[in-house]
């Protein structure tokens, strides 16, 4: 049952964001379209990484041995990409933030809620990366929890940032 909700949420997030960004937020400036495109790709990559939580959860919870083994193999393969995905997405977000700070900031005002939630998302991204780094070096119970909670909080905050209209 839960895996249905999980699949549906992923589908909704990815298809929903594509529809929202490309049909409801059109721009003429090519730079701004590049910034939107970078943010779109980055957010899909972040969602990929966040999904590791649900994969590990399913591995712990499932009673079917076959499913357990299949998911474990899958997660081992995916974790090889986890850090590369995080770094690529972060570079895309740096481009996104840069363009918006210089192109949209002056028009919208640096105190606009869209901008404020952008800075907040960025700070949470840095903390997530740091927590991931700590966990990678030495995985203690606290570090595992810290990376997981911060990653989830970051996701909620960037989704709010994305949905705020300007
Ligand atoms: C200093 C940091 C940031 C600033 C100043 C910023 C600013 C902005 C602005 C002004 C827009 C609206 C552009 C438009 O109308 O097309 C936007 C859109 C977006 N941002 Fe950010 N952002 C920042 C960080 C982030 C982060 C960390 C994420 C995480 C994934 C993110 C994800 C998105 C997404 C997905 C959109 C597309 C939605 C839309 O076009 O309204 N941004 N950002
Ligand atoms: C900003 C992007 C990132 C997001 C959204 C993210 C998210 C997650 C999530 C949700 C989990 C599963 C946690 C659990 O169930 O306990 C996880 C695991 C992990 N992450 Fe990240 N992470 C990111 C970046 C990083 C970075 C940069 C590193 C390392 C430098 C890292 C290292 C790890 C490690 C080592 C695990 C544990 C894998 C295992 O148990 O085998 N993460 N991450």
């Amino acid at each position: 049952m839960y895996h249905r909700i999980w699949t549906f949420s992923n589908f909704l997030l990815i298809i929903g964001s594509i529809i929202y960004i490309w049909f409801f937020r059109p721009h003429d400036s090519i730079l701004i379209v590049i910034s939107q495109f970078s943010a779109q790709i980055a957010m899909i990559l972040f969602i990929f990484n966040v999904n590791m939580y649900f994969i590990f959860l399913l591995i712990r919870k499932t009673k079917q041995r076959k499913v357990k083994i299949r998911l474990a193999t899958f997660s081992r393969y995916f974790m090889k990409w986890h850090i590369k995905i995080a770094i690529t997405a972060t570079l895309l977000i740096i481009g996104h933030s840069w363009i918006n700070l210089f192109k949209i900031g002056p028009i919208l005002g640096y105190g606009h809620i869209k901008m404020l939630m952008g800075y907040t998302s960025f700070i949470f991204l840095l903390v997530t990366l740091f927590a991931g780094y700590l966990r990678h070096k030495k995985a203690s119970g606290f570090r595992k929890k810290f990376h997981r909670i911060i990653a989830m909080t970051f996701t909620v905050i960037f989704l709010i940032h994305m949905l705020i209209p300007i």
Side-chain angles (χ1 to χ4, degrees):
M1 177 59 200
Y2 288 115
H3 79 275
R4 291 244 170 93
I5 301 177
W6 170 40
T7 313
F8 178 73
S9 321
N10 272 304
F11 181 80
L12 188 72
L13 275 173
I14 293 176
I15 304 299
S17 71
I18 292 174
I19 294 175
Y20 175 70
I21 295 174
W22 302 106
F23 289 93
F24 290 92
R25 312 209 42 80
H27 281 284
D28 294 330
S29 156
I30 182 81
L31 259 181
I32 295 176
V33 174
I34 291 173
S35 124
Q36 279 182 303
F37 186 70
S38 314
Q40 167 83 83
I41 302 292
M43 71 152 277
I44 293 175
L45 293 175
F46 289 135
I47 299 288
F48 253 76
N49 269 4
V50 168
N51 267 302
M52 290 318 298
Y53 170 72
F54 298 98
I55 295 173
F56 289 133
L57 187 70
L58 261 179
I59 293 175
R60 280 201 302 275
K61 294 274 182 236
T62 185
K63 292 199 172 56
Q64 293 160 271
R65 227 183 103 73
K66 250 170 96 181
V67 176
K68 226 189 234 311
I69 293 171
R70 197 155 352 122
L71 281 174
T73 316
F74 181 74
S75 73
R76 215 168 301 135
Y77 177 76
F78 251 92
M79 280 313 291
K80 286 205 175 86
W81 291 91
H82 191 76
I83 298 175
K84 293 181 186 109
I85 288 176
I87 293 172
T88 310
T90 303
L91 293 176
L92 287 167
I93 285 301
I94 291 173
H96 167 78
S97 310
W98 192 272
I99 294 173
N100 285 323
L101 281 173
F102 289 100
K103 289 297 263 185
I104 295 196
I107 302 168
L108 207 58
Y110 289 98
H112 189 284
I113 182 79
K114 185 90 176 182
M115 299 294 284
L116 297 178
M117 288 311 282
Y119 318 141
T120 314
S121 314
F122 196 82
I123 291 166
F124 273 88
L125 169 59
L126 296 182
V127 183
T128 309
L129 290 174
F130 177 64
Y133 168 75
L134 286 183
R135 174 169 185 166
H136 182 64
K137 279 193 64 171
K138 187 171 79 70
S140 65
F142 173 75
R143 289 181 178 197
K144 284 184 183 171
K145 204 166 169 184
F146 182 47
H147 184 51
R148 179 162 67 221
I149 304 267
I150 284 291
M152 295 301 169
T153 315
F154 165 60
T155 307
V156 172
I157 290 178
F158 86 65
L159 288 176
I160 296 174
H161 163 67
M162 176 182 102
L163 288 172
I164 294 170
I166 61 174

